[in-house]
Amino acid sequence: MSRDVVAVDLGGTHMRRAAISPDGVVSRREAVDTPVHDAHPDRLVDLLRTAREESGASEAVVGLPGRINYADGRLEYAPHLPPSWITDLSRENLSNRSGLTVHICNDAEMAAAGEAVFGAGKPFSDVVYMTISTGIGAGVVQHGRLVHGRRSMPEPGHTIVDIAGFESGAAGFMEDYASGSALGRRAREVGLGDSGSAVLAGLERGDPEARLLWQEALRVIQAAVYNMALWFSPQVIVIGGGIGLNAPGLIESLREWLGVHPPPGLEDMRVERAALGDDAGLIGAAAYSKMFGGEPAG
């Protein structure tokens, strides 16, 4: 029987599935729009069943964009998915309906596992992965094993960077200032475009408004990376996501800033660009299986 693992990366806009070999090779890809107007995620179950039939796999890892209760094997909260899906997205329900042994995982943690085992974090045992995209998420691998408690962690995008803004209810989270959504909102305010990618394009052509918006976001990202370093003492912080991978000079800027402001005792910590691109989450299924296969860890 094949030792492939079925991987599904479920997002608010698209869901992708593939078969992943034990050494991280991706095959049998399929991507479809996430049917957010459906009352139940039946299309997800169809993807899992088809993948099982095509690959002969017996195990699947499903990455979900929200807070996971690993002890109970279920999704607790996902702002970009229909609320009616929450009760459907559980280890037990998906396993029973698909015929696979299903693990569920926070999507950023799944990508962290992929980068730690097969990507930019491979030479290290202690890795923090941070994705800067529409939202901001992270995952932590220590001693070669994904770290979580009863629930998924951490959530850097919802850490407070502006206490006054938070208390007023206006804005205050990291995602309010440094995510793709935040950059898109600021771009619209100044007539630069309607997305975070419009700001990055403006940077490429030297637009002064884009440079100003990016500098504001970069300051928040610098603080977030510094804080993540102090919280988890990693050997490397890997930066991914649509903004993280495509912002001109981001990795170099972070390295330079941390060289001037090194976290105490972590002067040798490295910052690296994610190596697996958009496939980090999918490939993370094989890494997750290596770490937790056979355990009811999610």
Side-chain angles (χ1 to χ4, degrees), residues 3 13 21 23 41 57 70 98 113 161 177 183 232 237 243 248 256 260 273 279 292 294:
R3 296 177 59 212
T13 304
S21 72
D23 55 355
Y70 285 107
S98 69
V161 296
Y177 301 95
L183 285 170
F232 300 107
I237 294 182
I243 300 296
E256 181 179 356
V260 178
R273 186 178 188 272
D279 283 341
F292 295 112

Side-chain angles (χ1 to χ4, degrees), residues 177 182-218:
Y177 301 95
L183 285 170
R185 184 184 67 253
R186 293 285 286 119
R188 288 189 292 274
E189 290 172 356
V190 300
L192 190 62
D194 61 359
S195 67
S197 59
V199 177
L200 301 189
L203 277 178
E204 293 279 11
R205 63 176 183 269
D207 185 287
E209 288 280 11
R211 187 180 303 114
L212 178 61
L213 295 186
W214 176 245
Q215 285 301 316
E216 293 172 352
L218 179 60

Side-chain angles (χ1 to χ4, degrees), residues 74-215:
R74 61 184 175 86
L75 179 68
E76 287 189 332
Y77 170 74
H80 302 298
L81 295 179
S84 62
W85 288 22
I86 300 297
T87 55
D88 293 301
L89 295 174
S90 71
R91 178 176 64 221
E92 180 179 11
N93 182 59
L94 294 178
S95 295
N96 289 342
R97 294 189 64 192
S98 69
L100 291 158
T101 298
V102 176
H103 305 276
I104 62 172
C105 184
N106 171 268
D107 55 357
E109 291 182 329
M110 191 163 149
E115 285 290 342
V117 174
F118 298 111
K122 187 175 181 179
F124 309 97
S125 64
D126 295 343
V127 179
V128 164
Y129 169 79
M130 188 163 72
T131 174
I132 307 168
S133 191
T134 302
I136 297 171
V140 179
V141 172
Q142 293 185 334
H143 300 293
R145 193 170 172 90
L146 187 67
V147 175
H148 61 66
R150 181 179 181 84
R151 292 180 169 88
S152 52
M153 50 83 69
E155 288 286 350
H158 294 127
T159 55
I160 297 171
V161 296
D162 177 0
I163 189 68
F166 171 77
E167 290 176 342
S168 72
F173 295 137
M174 181 186 177
E175 283 190 359
D176 293 327
Y177 301 95
S179 65
S181 296
L183 285 170
R185 184 184 67 253
R186 293 285 286 119
R188 288 189 292 274
E189 290 172 356
V190 300
L192 190 62
D194 61 359
S195 67
S197 59
V199 177
L200 301 189
L203 277 178
E204 293 279 11
R205 63 176 183 269
D207 185 287
E209 288 280 11
R211 187 180 303 114
L212 178 61
L213 295 186
W214 176 245
Q215 285 301 316

